[in-house]
Amino acid sequence: MKIHNLTEQREIMAGILLIAGLILLLFVVHTKQVDTQQAHSFHLTGTFNKADGITKGSSVRLAGIPVGQVTNVELDPYYRVKVTMSFPKMINLSVDSGAIIETDGLIGNKYVELIPGGDEEILENNDAIVYTQDALLLDELLNRFLDIMRNKKGMTAQKEEVNE
């Protein structure tokens, strides 16, 4: 394909420059969004013995309303699960606040529920939430219930033997 006149060359160059400009604009907007999210985000960690079902991207809720998400899940040197959470800086939690791993419904997704404390001292960025409660697993709950029922049945059998 030959370009015969100067006008066609200018149109092609203008098109190339326009596409390059759009790509540059998209890159700048994306970079600005990432910087803005990092500038307005607040990170806290919580350490749990068990964090079954919590993964990167899991919801972080306050009073049942999603306010953030889990950004990292890793093992600490003592084989406990360190969960890093990110949410807006406008969320001010006191140092005696807690975090509980909850299930959405009976067998739904797991999420971290933040429980606000009453202390006047506020947690700072990258601080740790000290008061945590592990995930309650359905099979563990069922096993506990069955153990209670077995013990109750055993106690009833012992009472009957004593009465005879």
Side-chain angles (χ1 to χ4, degrees), residues 58-101:
S58 292
S59 180
V60 176
R61 299 180 187 183
L62 181 63
I65 298 171
V67 294
Q69 67 179 3
V70 172
T71 57
N72 194 27
V73 179
E74 63 186 353
L75 283 176
D76 73 4
Y78 303 102
Y79 302 109
R80 295 185 50 182
V81 183
K82 181 179 175 185
V83 176
T84 304
M85 300 161 278
S86 175
F87 38 89
K89 285 185 178 180
M90 67 181 191
I91 305 294
N92 291 321
L93 294 171
S94 60
V95 293
D96 62 341
S97 296
I100 301 173
I101 297 176

Side-chain angles (χ1 to χ4, degrees), residues 1-113:
M1 176 172 119
K2 288 186 177 180
I3 301 174
H4 294 287
N5 63 32
L6 192 58
T7 306
E8 287 179 357
Q9 288 178 346
R10 285 184 183 166
E11 288 176 0
I12 290 173
M13 285 302 291
I16 291 172
L17 288 175
L18 179 66
I19 291 171
L22 286 173
I23 290 171
L24 181 63
L25 179 65
L26 288 173
F27 176 75
V28 169
V29 167
H30 176 71
T31 305
K32 182 71 174 167
Q33 255 183 344
V34 169
D35 289 344
T36 302
Q37 287 173 351
Q38 289 176 351
H40 295 294
S41 65
F42 186 77
H43 300 279
L44 293 176
T45 61
T47 304
F48 300 88
N49 290 321
K50 282 190 257 184
D52 295 23
I54 294 294
T55 59
K56 186 175 181 179
S58 292
S59 180
V60 176
R61 299 180 187 183
L62 181 63
I65 298 171
V67 294
Q69 67 179 3
V70 172
T71 57
N72 194 27
V73 179
E74 63 186 353
L75 283 176
D76 73 4
Y78 303 102
Y79 302 109
R80 295 185 50 182
V81 183
K82 181 179 175 185
V83 176
T84 304
M85 300 161 278
S86 175
F87 38 89
K89 285 185 178 180
M90 67 181 191
I91 305 294
N92 291 321
L93 294 171
S94 60
V95 293
D96 62 341
S97 296
I100 301 173
I101 297 176
E102 295 278 358
T103 305
D104 200 9
L106 188 59
I107 54 173
N109 292 332
K110 301 279 186 163
Y111 63 92
V112 178
E113 178 74 29

